[in-house]
Amino acid sequence: MNRRNLLLGTALCAGTAALIGFAAPAPAQSPKIKVGFMLPYTGTYAALGNAIENGFRLYVDEQGGKLGGREIEYVKVDDESEPSKATDNVNKLIKRDNVDVLVGTVHSGVALAMAKAAKDSNTILIVPNGGADAITGPMCGVNIFRSSFSNWQPAYAMGEVAAKKGAKKAVTITWNYAAGTESTNGFKEAFEKGGGSVVKALNLPFPGVEFQALLTEIAATKPDVVYAFFAGGGAVKFVKDYAGAGLNRSIPLYGPGFLTDGTLDAQGDAAQGMFTTLHYADGLNTPRDNAFRLAYAKTYKLQPDVYAVQGYDAAQMLGIGLKAVNGDVTKKPEFAAAIEKAKIDSPRGRSRSARRTTRCRTSICARWWGKRTSWTGSRSRRSPIRPGAARADLPHRSFPLWGKER
Ligand code: PHB
């Protein structure tokens, strides 16, 4: 399958709280910084967790295994994308393993529990995926950062695209947890602003994959488009079942790029004709992204995806913070200030952090998944989501890069 990205862009939204000073005596530094990965290594998001860890380690290895002059060592916990175990799991890393820095996780519900524990214990947390809006909103703190996105971002972009393409009636379908709810709400917000209407919001418990009854309901409702948030193994199954039910022939499937990122090969022809929006795309063809992709492929014998990039950027953020404090993680305000000021050389493009906002400016790639290279020059010029127009279409760009708390 050929893939062309329409709009190249960068995104990085890190939240940091107001820089309130607090003075803790600097403990004697151990020679190494202990990073605790709390990621899903089993279950529907397992591949996502592995990609994040790979990306993170790749950046650290490129720096000779050290950040801010200190060697990095790792401990790991499999969070199983299970919110009910999240507090116990994160406390293992904080209290048993005495980590200096927490990195995790994928699932919004688990990430929220991590943010609470990080806040309570004043441990540095870098979230390399979990898009829960609250993490860079009310849950944010001087020690809490995100190298990924808020659930609202790619979803709102897709709502605009769907409305501009003339769709009037949409059905949304997702897992019933924070990410699914916030994603479908983001889509609805933009779609309805653009004149459309979400006539049905379907959901099932995470990480269920019993889609048949819901697909039957979609067929009976006959919307113009379906917007779906699924990721990982669940996204593979959903896209295949959607095509298996024949719905892809009459009702185009829209979603954030999580629907296809890292899953496209397994979906095969079932992904034909889908539309997605995301803050990263393969085929950016910039020297920075090409170098990253090559290094990742050589190291892991795998192609990187958005999750790998987010892990890589999480390590970059840690490196910037540690360098500014000479490896002394007790200096949280200085650590945070350095990350806020920095331009991060992401494979997505040079990016800066926004302060405490879920709606920070980002560029989103809108893509149509076709059998042949879909966006030839002439086609893309006619398309309502062609590169130039898409930038103007996407409201994110009007949000300030350094957003104020809202
Ligand atoms: C989330 O739970 O926030 C989440 C999970 C997987 C994704 C994106 C967001 O691909």
Side-chain angles (χ1 to χ4, degrees):
M1 185 184 300
N2 285 310
R3 311 162 191 183
R4 287 288 299 272
N5 55 290
L6 299 180
L7 172 60
L8 313 183
T10 68
L12 185 132
C13 177
T16 58
L19 303 183
I20 30 164
F22 53 88
Q29 280 185 21
S30 75
K32 293 185 181 176
I33 292 277
K34 216 184 228 188
V35 170
F37 285 127
M38 182 160 148
L39 292 165
Y41 295 107
T42 53
T44 201
Y45 287 162
L48 289 57
N50 282 309
I52 288 168
E53 180 179 335
N54 288 347
F56 193 99
R57 283 179 181 267
L58 178 64
Y59 181 76
V60 174
D61 290 349
E62 286 174 355
Q63 314 310 307
K66 286 187 177 176
L67 298 177
R70 292 179 68 184
E71 247 175 83
I72 302 297
E73 70 171 325
Y74 303 100
V75 284
K76 292 163 60 153
V77 163
D78 177 7
D79 68 40
E80 305 168 49
S81 297
E82 181 49 73
S84 67
K85 299 183 183 170
T87 302
D88 282 351
N89 279 332
V90 71
N91 280 329
K92 279 183 204 156
L93 291 170
I94 297 170
K95 294 181 182 158
R96 181 195 66 189
D97 298 329
N98 286 313
V99 298
D100 299 297
V101 179
L102 290 162
V103 174
T105 185
V106 170
H107 184 289
S108 273
V110 179
L112 285 166
M114 290 184 78
K116 176 161 187 340
K119 211 168 186 177
D120 290 349
S121 62
N122 198 23
T123 310
I124 292 170
L125 166 66
I126 306 179
V127 180
N129 187 76
D133 292 345
I135 290 170
T136 46
M139 291 300 296
C140 202
V142 70
N143 54 325
I144 296 176
F145 308 87
R146 178 152 65 194
S147 63
S148 49
F149 57 89
S150 72
N151 290 319
W152 176 89
Q153 286 178 314
Y156 190 94
M158 188 45 97
E160 282 227 320
V161 170
K164 281 188 192 301
K165 285 176 68 64
K168 291 286 171 234
K169 200 168 123 179
V171 168
T172 61
I173 178 165
T174 190
W175 281 313
N176 187 9
Y177 82 102
T181 309
E182 290 175 357
S183 180
T184 50
N185 283 347
F187 172 84
K188 181 181 161 86
E189 184 187 334
F191 186 59
E192 298 198 335
K193 211 182 266 176
S197 167
V198 172
V199 294
K200 223 169 231 174
L202 302 173
N203 60 60
L204 72 168
F206 175 88
V209 290
E210 299 308 318
F211 299 120
Q212 286 313 323
L214 300 173
L215 294 174
T216 304
E217 213 173 324
I218 290 171
T221 308
K222 294 191 178 63
D224 300 324
V225 297
V226 167
Y227 175 85
F229 169 90
F230 295 105
V236 174
K237 175 86 165 48
F238 177 75
V239 168
K240 284 185 154 181
D241 284 5
Y242 193 84
L247 290 175
N248 60 339
R249 288 197 291 273
S250 51
I251 310 169
L253 182 57
Y254 286 50
F258 310 121
L259 218 43
T260 46
D261 234 66
T263 57
L264 194 65
D265 289 342
Q267 289 159 346
D269 279 357
Q272 299 297 324
M274 283 170 50
F275 288 85
T276 60
T277 39
L278 199 64
H279 50 283
Y280 179 67
D282 55 3
L284 292 182
N285 201 19
T286 59
R288 181 71 182 102
D289 191 50
N290 290 346
F292 163 75
R293 297 191 68 84
L294 186 64
Y296 190 96
K298 269 192 183 162
T299 308
Y300 301 111
K301 315 288 175 251
L302 285 170
Q303 288 302 313
D305 54 22
V306 68
Y307 310 104
V309 173
Q310 293 167 175
Y312 189 83
D313 289 344
Q316 294 210 62
M317 290 168 87
L318 179 59
I320 288 162
L322 285 178
K323 189 169 173 209
V325 297
N326 280 324
D328 182 353
V329 288
T330 62
K331 295 184 171 163
K332 304 272 185 324
E334 294 90 332
F335 181 98
I339 293 178
E340 282 189 10
K341 269 206 300 275
K343 273 205 171 158
I344 295 172
D345 191 16
S346 170
R348 289 173 273 187
R350 288 180 83 76
S351 307
R352 287 201 308 186
S353 310
R355 199 187 250 215
R356 265 205 188 206
T357 175
T358 56
R359 297 185 171 206
C360 61
R361 169 169 147 170
T362 184
S363 295
I364 298 281
C365 307
R367 312 174 99 188
W368 177 70
W369 299 96
K371 236 191 177 61
R372 292 174 300 121
T373 300
S374 315
W375 299 106
T376 62
S378 59
R379 251 195 102 160
S380 74
R381 271 195 295 280
R382 282 202 306 273
S383 162
I385 51 171
R386 68 190 184 275
R391 276 181 193 274
D393 289 345
L394 298 180
H396 309 57
R397 64 188 299 279
S398 67
F399 287 100
L401 203 53
W402 289 86
K404 291 263 180 305
E405 188 174 355
R406 57 184 75 225

